[in-house]
Amino acid sequence: MPGGTPAPAGDPSDILARARALVLETGEPLDRAGLLEVLTLPDERIEELLALAHEVRMRWCGPEVEVEGIISLKTGGCPEDCHFCSQSGKFESPVRVARLDIPSLVEAAKQTAKTGATEFCIVAAVRGPDRMLMSQVAAGIEAIRNEVEINIACSLGMLTPSQVDELAGMGVHRYNHNLETARSHFPNVVTTHTWEERWETLRLVSEAGMEVCCGGILGMGESLEQRAEFAEQLAELAPDEVPLNFLNPRPGTPFGDLDTMPAADALRAIGAFRLALPKTILRFAGGREITLGDLGARQGILGGINAVIVGNYLTTLGRPAESDIDLLVDLGMPIKTFGTVV
């Protein structure tokens, strides 16, 4: 148990033995108490944890890895105060307001498809989309569909019911709206809107029949208890996909001076989130490069991760797409493509 002497491996009271019996054998997730035990495992048991998480992923999700690219349609100038984000107009960060035109959006989708990606996500730094942005998104989706065979996702902030219906009518495959962190920690991360407002958008998206993409960022000052809380709350939401980000502190933001998450803690978190979400797409996202490096990327793919964002993120650099594709090939992980697997 947390804070005590860990039970030896194989002991029925040991958390990994219990997780094997529950999660691997039945597909049921660990509860918050069990997740906290996983997050407090000693370093020497991380390899064992990741091996179990990999077994869970292979049994309940299969070997395929989904590849996605993202692009910012509208960057910077956001009115919200998410303390990790350099796109907020409230902070003195280097990011400036910029908009992408439709031809550039189509070209980005083409380049993303060339990597083998099945998903292309259009993102905008806004509280929620206005009429002009919704019109741009509609035009962009139509232009992409005329040129590229790829699923289109969107991340446009909080939505009204009519906007949800409009996006569903455009054929948006998946909508991303991250809860970011545990409900109890959220007021320390954002003050201009609530966790509950985000949850409501996700409820509307799910009811409209779009896939739900919802994750967050680890390493924003949350406790291990709150990390376990967050994983359990995501399991309750039951999203189709969970992007797992690690804080990459951005200059000029309130979290700009936070330390990056220790690699061992990040690996424990990957294992824990897989045991909380055994049947969910768990996607490597921002911050993995500085938190885990190349070795960590390999460990994550063999430790429960079954999707990656390739290329750069919205305001930070990622790994070259070719590096991730080469890694998947090296590990013998088939890449899911549009309608099939290679």
Side-chain angles (χ1 to χ4, degrees):
M1 294 296 292
T5 302
D11 186 322
S13 67
D14 174 62
I15 182 56
L16 295 187
R18 293 183 352 245
R20 177 173 292 276
L22 179 68
V23 187
L24 181 62
E25 297 303 325
T26 73
E28 293 298 313
L30 281 184
D31 62 13
R32 190 184 305 190
L35 293 169
L36 182 56
E37 288 188 71
V38 169
L39 291 168
T40 55
L41 282 170
D43 287 359
E44 57 267 25
R45 300 202 66 193
I46 291 176
E47 186 175 342
E48 183 185 355
L49 165 63
L50 294 178
L52 173 59
H54 183 62
E55 285 187 75
V56 169
R57 167 265 175 113
M58 293 293 283
R59 174 159 187 176
W60 296 107
C61 298
E64 297 85 9
V65 177
E66 185 182 279
V67 177
E68 178 184 43
I70 60 176
I71 192 71
S72 181
L73 182 60
K74 186 263 181 182
T75 303
C78 182
E80 305 305 289
D81 73 345
C82 305
H83 291 12
F84 55 85
C85 186
S86 57
Q87 297 199 68
S88 172
K90 297 182 180 295
F91 310 141
E92 293 297 326
S93 73
V95 176
R96 294 294 174 261
V97 178
R99 288 183 181 269
L100 201 65
D101 59 29
I102 300 303
S104 299
L105 191 67
V106 173
E107 182 59 28
K110 287 180 177 179
Q111 294 304 314
T112 296
K114 286 181 180 178
T115 69
T118 58
E119 199 86 14
F120 180 68
C121 187
I122 301 170
V123 184
V126 291
R127 177 184 174 89
D130 57 18
R131 184 67 257 157
M132 183 176 75
L133 182 58
M134 289 293 286
S135 297
Q136 281 185 297
V137 170
I141 289 174
E142 182 180 8
I144 290 169
R145 289 237 164 84
N146 288 335
E147 298 284 342
V148 188
E149 190 176 41
I150 196 167
N151 287 321
I152 298 174
C154 287
S155 181
L156 311 172
M158 290 173 283
L159 302 174
T160 65
S162 62
Q163 288 171 334
V164 170
D165 291 342
E166 193 172 347
L167 289 172
M170 293 177 199
V172 172
H173 168 247
R174 186 180 290 165
Y175 193 80
N176 165 256
H177 194 51
N178 290 337
L179 287 171
E180 304 301 6
T181 191
R183 185 176 188 173
S184 66
H185 188 53
F186 191 85
N188 301 314
V189 178
V190 183
T191 69
T192 49
H193 60 266
T194 66
W195 192 91
E196 290 78 9
E197 286 177 283
R198 288 182 177 242
W199 185 278
E200 176 63 11
T201 285
L202 294 162
R203 184 188 67 80
L204 292 171
V205 166
S206 180
E207 288 182 354
M210 285 184 281
E211 289 192 2
V212 173
C213 171
C214 178
I217 305 174
L218 303 181
M220 297 194 295
E222 75 278 1
S223 66
L224 292 181
E225 289 82 2
Q226 287 169 325
R227 211 166 282 167
E229 175 196 346
F230 183 38
E232 185 180 62
Q233 287 162 346
L234 287 172
E236 180 185 349
L237 178 66
D240 299 276
E241 173 187 345
V242 170
L244 206 53
N245 299 270
F246 305 96
L247 182 68
N248 183 346
R250 297 290 84 206
T253 67
F255 289 169
D257 293 328
L258 290 183
D259 293 330
T260 56
M261 192 173 177
D265 287 349
L267 292 172
R268 270 186 285 264
I270 290 169
F273 274 68
R274 174 49 72 198
L275 297 179
L277 299 150
K279 301 177 182 179
T280 300
I281 298 170
L282 191 59
R283 188 180 296 278
F284 249 160
R288 62 188 169 105
E289 298 78 15
I290 65 165
T291 303
L292 291 167
D294 289 345
L295 177 61
R298 179 179 291 267
Q299 288 174 297
I301 294 294
L302 294 177
I305 295 291
N306 63 330
V308 294
I309 293 176
V310 294
N312 295 330
Y313 306 106
L314 299 176
T315 61
T316 59
L317 297 177
R319 284 161 52 93
E322 297 77 13
S323 297
D324 280 326
I325 299 303
D326 288 347
L327 173 61
L328 296 176
V329 172
D330 183 52
L331 294 176
M333 294 292 172
I335 300 168
K336 181 179 178 182
T337 61
F338 198 85
T340 185
V341 172
V342 296

